[in-house]
Amino acid sequence: MALAVVGLGGFALWRFVATLPPLDLTQAGLRSTVVLDREARLLRPFATADGRWRLPVAGAQVDPRFRAMLTAYEDRRFADHPGIDPAASLRAAGQWLAAGRIVSGGSTLSMQVARLVEPRAERSLAAKLRQMVRAVQLERRLGKDGVLDLYLALAPYGGPVEGVRAASLAYFGREPARLSFAESALLVALPQAPEARRPDRFPQAARRARDRVLAIAAAQGVITAAEAEAARAEPVPTRRKPFPMLAAHAAEAAHAADPTAQVIRLTLDGRLQASLEALATERAAALGPGISAAILALDNRTGAVLAQVGSPGYLDATRAGAIDMTGAIRSPGSALKPFIYALAFETGLAHPETQLDDRPVRFPGYAPENFDLGYQGTVTARRALQLSLNVPAVDLLESVGAARFIARLRAAGARIDLPRDTAPGLPVALGGLGITLTDLARLFAGLARQGLVPSLTRRIGDGPQPGAAPEARVTEAVAAWYVADTLRGAPPPDNALAGRIAYKTGTSYGYRDALAVGFDRRVTIAVWVGRPDGNAVPGLVGRVVAAPILFDAFARFGGEPDPVPMPREALVTTTAGLPPPLRHIRRDIPKTLSAALGAPLRIAYPPDGARIDLGLSDAEPVPAASLALKALGGVPPLTWMVDGLPVADSPRRQSAWAPEGAGFARISVMDATGASDSVRVRIE
């Protein structure tokens, strides 16, 4: 009788196949978008369009003990049958005939997958035949591994949770690569009755189902009796855990930019990201209610974003956590002073050992004061920058020109916001402008890269993101090293070691923003602390609040700091060893003296941006080829410099320079009053 039933079923199955449409796996292939770090570690998943958590997973990513328990419990002959288990089908047919109704379906894992791919509510012979056909089709099309992968991705685990990876994260808070025996057994049991056995709602039912799986696994030799007994003693989770949300702002932006991608891999380092998020959360909580913090880490070699902490907590509404403060326009305070000095070094106006005057002074319509309201007298440019003195910085900005300074920052790719309907003025030296933490970090990374500002990359395998600024030069290589070497000697915050990283702090007007940006050869890290709404916070000072976070962030990055290497063209000397016009920028000689006595100083030859062929690019360069230099105006004696180094003693308006090879060069001239001019040329 049983054989007749099987034969009848086979004939019915053959006739039924012709009525089925082709197998469609489109919906089964829909997965949650997952955002991964550079090592393919999960940062943040996103639910599917219908609100389900269905994360991509493959059998190789799941604990082998789970797979062994699954087949032992659900389908012992999974590896041998073609999608339908004849023995199980015979047993089910016999039970049907004996009871007059379907008692068990004899379902294989492949048939269960078929039901998940084409869900149907009815339990009928037609539905069962359809599952059997689809099971065979699935095995022929995908093979055993492909069928198992579909089961692992689609199996229901209660509520919107589907697939073993989502379930492992939801109930245990970790990936399914390593599961205990108890955890594996629970995940095997839940899909049989996902709503009735949900451990977060019915923990006792979940425990009973888990223990049955453990008993069967022990009986079939998958685990020992002792292992099963120990697993039964483990508690069942009684609540769901939140899904990972590392780098929430970066992940959200990447998902919004490519909403159809199922896997997005960022350049972030997940371990560093988690560590810096914890750091930001800890420090913001200690600073008080409403305070936010942001941290950005860049790989100086590639421009890759290694960590992006936009707030202390994406879901913390009390700190406006949903706002990504790495992209917010804020005042940098004194954080941009290094680039004023870089421009002065580059143009030959000053050297780190040039003496500057730090004393009360009034510029037209502006009278800057130092942060501590005191004055240092005569100090070197190095010391003035290390102490972040305001008056020398404003004095240098007046000499290099505020408009020129802003134009240089913008040419390097930074977005600079100025007060509406105002031209750049001297207050920009002390934070009278707006800039994002991201652009600030890029500019400082340029100091670690011989003046070349990197273009940022955020996704593995991609170049610069759409709209990202291309690589551009913020200063010359020698000037960049002068600044980096100077900032490495800045006084560290309390309880920190000196001389390890080059860094600069900033405090905006009214104590609204505290910033610190530091770098070595490897990495640049930028820190912002404040209130997202822009309200003042008494005592919010960059060196006191942001700098300790910066130094802690560098410690978490790991490894020994690697100083920026010195270019061979750099001039390392004392103040006395400098050419006389570079020894002291004096305010007691009017800077307009050269104009009063005659024409202002300017370089007549070579012109700015010129390409000059001296035969240096040929196979046999011209011996001792030299470039004529000519200046007009100014007050003699003049000092000629190339890339910050003085040309052989030549105080006249006409001189010559013999380059050692082809390439770009910055040619500068300075007169007796301190007036200067410079051009950049390419020698070929």
Side-chain angles (χ1 to χ4, degrees), residues 162-400:
E162 295 184 357
V164 68
R165 187 179 184 190
S168 182
L169 290 167
Y171 293 124
F172 311 129
R174 63 173 178 273
E175 296 279 3
R178 293 183 64 84
L179 298 169
S180 69
F181 291 125
E183 291 167 346
S184 294
L186 180 62
L187 294 182
V188 168
L190 291 184
Q192 295 297 312
E195 294 302 326
R197 297 175 179 177
R198 280 181 60 171
D200 56 331
R201 292 185 178 179
F202 308 105
Q204 293 305 317
R207 176 183 287 274
R208 288 193 296 270
R210 181 200 69 179
D211 291 350
R212 281 197 298 273
V213 174
L214 288 171
I216 291 174
Q220 295 189 19
V222 175
I223 58 176
T224 66
E227 290 170 336
E229 184 65 26
R232 281 191 287 269
E234 287 190 25
V236 169
T238 57
R239 63 178 59 188
R240 277 178 47 187
K241 298 179 182 294
F243 285 101
M245 195 177 281
L246 279 176
H249 299 95
E252 189 170 78
H255 182 41
D258 191 2
T260 62
Q262 290 194 352
V263 178
I264 299 174
R265 194 167 169 190
L266 302 183
T267 60
L268 301 180
D269 182 323
R271 292 193 176 96
L272 179 64
Q273 178 75 28
S275 180
L276 295 187
E277 285 190 15
L279 174 62
T281 301
E282 171 193 329
R283 297 301 176 87
L287 290 170
I291 302 296
S292 183
I295 307 174
L296 189 74
L298 306 181
D299 184 326
N300 289 337
R301 184 179 60 85
T302 64
V305 178
L306 298 177
Q308 179 182 337
V309 183
S311 70
Y314 183 80
L315 301 178
D316 189 347
T318 65
R319 303 180 192 275
I323 300 177
D324 181 2
M325 296 306 298
T326 65
I329 297 289
R330 308 293 293 207
S331 168
S334 297
L336 286 175
K337 283 179 182 174
F339 301 96
I340 299 174
Y341 283 81
L343 194 53
F345 297 156
E346 174 188 300
T347 58
L349 178 66
H351 179 275
E353 306 308 325
T354 298
Q355 291 185 329
L356 309 176
D357 292 329
D358 180 37
R359 60 191 183 189
V361 63
R362 176 175 290 277
F363 299 93
Y366 187 52
E369 295 179 329
N370 287 325
F371 186 79
D372 61 2
L373 302 181
Y375 298 92
Q376 299 288 320
T378 300
V379 294
T380 63
R382 179 185 301 276
R383 189 63 175 163
L385 179 54
Q386 290 172 346
L387 298 179
S388 194
L389 301 177
N390 289 343
V391 174
V394 174
D395 194 22
L396 283 179
L397 182 61
E398 185 198 34
S399 298
V400 301

Side-chain angles (χ1 to χ4, degrees), residues 105-117:
S107 292
T108 63
L109 274 175
S110 305
M111 292 170 63
Q112 293 182 48
V113 171
R115 186 171 65 248
L116 294 171
V117 170

Side-chain angles (χ1 to χ4, degrees), residues 299-301 448-449 519-524 561-565:
D299 184 326
N300 289 337
R301 184 179 60 85
R449 304 174 79 245
F519 62 94
D520 64 1
R521 191 177 186 178
R522 308 167 300 160
V523 65
T524 295
D562 186 6
V564 177

